[in-house]
Amino acid sequence: MPAPQTDATPAQPAGRPLPPETLRGSYRPITEVGTPVLYRRCAKVTEFGQELAQLIDDMFFTMHVAQGVGLAANQIGVDLQCFVYDCPGEDGQRHIGHICNPVMDIQPPAEPAAGKEGCLSVPGAGLHELPRAARTVVRGQDKDGNAITLEGQGLLARCFQHETDHLNGTLYIDHLTPAQSSRALQEMAANRQAVSAQREARARTLRD
């Protein structure tokens, strides 16, 4: 999921350090809308070890290359129930982490909160209005197989919902009106090549 203001806004303010996971990772191209792995429920994570840890590091690096606040495994073509995030919460604090096999609980109040949303797999599209639950709890496992619980409000709750949707085969444009979805795809067609070039350049910069 892109950062909240525009697709060009970094996940963290300038001067804030990248998390150590990012510095251990490598860039993997992001799958785009239309790729089959984005449209099916991902396989459950059953193997916890170095391969999974490296995947998570690569996801962090790729998320920061794309200037996002969240990224799901199938967005880099990996059919596994795992997502990473580096996202501000309603408390203004920076929240960084990952979760495998997430199960989402929507918390009261159940009324959806207004907000705009985009997707790193729809490169170049602007942000579009999409109501989401204001509070969420996500239960799952960490990279070592330990049970964890994540709580989110505001943008962090939106991020958790967006990434969990990805792992269940749903993109944000599937929640939009037909007119909104069509406009997002038109924006992607016009801008995706420029976004791809920016990501490649940023990957080199972060690695340096």
Side-chain angles (χ1 to χ4, degrees), residues 15-208:
R16 296 192 68 179
L18 294 171
E21 296 92 337
T22 300
L23 303 178
R24 297 191 299 260
S26 299
Y27 180 61
R28 301 199 196 184
I30 294 177
T31 53
E32 297 182 358
V33 59
T35 306
V37 72
L38 294 176
Y39 296 92
R40 59 177 181 263
R41 179 175 172 80
C42 292
K44 185 174 182 179
V45 176
T46 58
E47 298 289 334
F48 298 89
Q50 183 54 43
E51 186 174 346
L52 177 63
Q54 187 60 59
L55 169 66
I56 289 169
D57 291 346
D58 290 351
M59 290 168 66
F60 267 101
F61 188 89
T62 302
M63 175 179 67
H64 281 280
V65 164
Q67 301 179 304
V69 295
L71 187 75
N74 57 349
Q75 289 186 274
I76 57 170
V78 178
D79 185 7
L80 282 178
Q81 289 266 330
C82 180
F83 72 75
V84 301
Y85 59 94
D86 183 351
C87 184
E90 193 172 65
D91 55 6
Q93 298 298 310
R94 183 182 181 187
H95 298 263
I96 303 170
H98 70 275
I99 190 168
C100 303
N101 305 322
V103 176
M104 174 74 63
D105 289 335
I106 303 299
Q107 300 295 301
E111 295 82 6
K116 292 187 176 182
E117 200 165 313
C119 182
L120 301 180
S121 290
V122 192
L127 304 184
H128 293 268
E129 193 70 34
L130 177 59
R132 291 277 197 184
R135 298 180 60 211
T136 60
V137 172
V138 188
R139 296 178 175 85
Q141 296 164 284
D142 68 12
K143 62 183 177 62
D144 299 312
N146 301 309
I148 56 173
T149 299
L150 309 176
E151 298 185 21
Q153 298 185 50
L155 179 63
L156 186 60
R158 178 175 294 274
C159 177
F160 289 165
Q161 291 169 82
H162 181 106
E163 305 309 333
T164 301
D165 269 359
H166 266 304
L167 299 179
N168 289 320
T170 299
L171 280 73
Y172 91 110
I173 59 173
D174 297 329
H175 295 301
L176 300 179
T177 67
Q180 286 177 312
S181 179
S182 177
R183 187 161 61 252
L185 294 175
Q186 290 172 359
E187 292 165 348
M188 172 182 164
N191 299 316
R192 63 178 296 273
Q193 288 187 337
V195 171
S196 178
Q198 291 168 1
R199 290 176 179 175
E200 293 289 345
R202 184 167 170 81
R204 293 190 294 271
T205 300
L206 286 185
R207 179 53 61 207
D208 295 340

Side-chain angles (χ1 to χ4, degrees), residues 2-3 5-11 66-67 198:
Q5 291 81 16
T6 70
D7 284 349
T9 304
Q67 301 179 304
Q198 291 168 1

